Amino acid sequence: MDFARIASPYARWILFILSAIGLISVFLGFVRKKIPAYGKWSKRFFILEGVGFLVLTAFFIPEGKPVHLIFTIVWTFLCGFFYFSEKRTERQAFVSLQKEGITIPGVLNDRLMPWSEVESVILRCDFLTINKKNNKYYQFEVAEENEEGFREAFNIYARSRLE
């Protein structure tokens, strides 16, 4: 509101549009479960919000206070982070066994867990369980298997890498 008082009439219209985008985004966050195919649109909303905060930051540079600049820059980066995290959640998670170790899905990047850290790997009907030597474990739900004897071949290969 401080910026709206000192801004030119042209800048006030842009501020009004950006405020409307922000309010719509907040509203959509509350009713997102009722919107059909929200996941398809959520990334676009994050891009729109990020661009809005970036434009607002550009307006705050000549006339704004440092607090306003910091606020808008932080929210611009947060919208970018939310965009990439939404994009990541859409990607299917795969666990793969390699000579170097086990690749497990992460939030931003997949992570390679060396075989030296692993105590056991067991693939059952519905779950893959990876026990680490430091008493931690990872468990993943199995969505599909490649073929009939896949589970047995997977477990045999995992045991051979651990020996």
Side-chain angles (χ1 to χ4, degrees), residues 50-157:
V51 168
F53 278 118
L54 192 60
V55 170
L56 195 57
T57 302
F59 276 105
F60 281 151
I61 288 173
E63 300 175 9
K65 297 177 183 175
V67 173
H68 298 145
L69 284 171
I70 292 170
F71 176 80
T72 55
I73 289 170
V74 166
W75 275 103
T76 302
F77 283 116
L78 279 174
C79 288
F81 174 76
F82 293 150
Y83 169 77
F84 286 111
S85 64
E86 281 281 324
K87 196 172 178 122
R88 175 68 178 159
T89 57
E90 287 180 352
R91 199 174 87 184
Q92 285 189 346
F94 292 103
V95 175
S96 63
L97 303 183
Q98 302 167 1
K99 288 184 179 181
E100 302 84 31
I102 304 171
T103 303
I104 59 172
V107 175
L108 296 177
N109 294 335
D110 292 345
R111 189 171 74 91
L112 179 68
M113 183 186 318
W115 288 107
S116 59
E117 295 179 8
V118 178
E119 185 176 315
S120 67
V121 179
I122 301 169
L123 178 62
R124 294 192 176 99
C125 295
D126 296 335
F127 290 98
L128 169 68
T129 305
I130 302 169
N131 293 318
K132 292 181 70 174
K133 291 182 179 175
N134 61 358
N135 289 332
K136 290 185 180 180
Y137 71 93
Y138 295 91
Q139 199 163 39
F140 301 97
E141 185 176 6
V142 176
E144 60 184 63
E145 292 181 10
N146 292 346
E147 55 189 54
E148 188 72 26
F150 176 76
R151 197 174 337 139
E152 186 178 327
F154 184 95
N155 287 330
I156 290 170
Y157 179 76

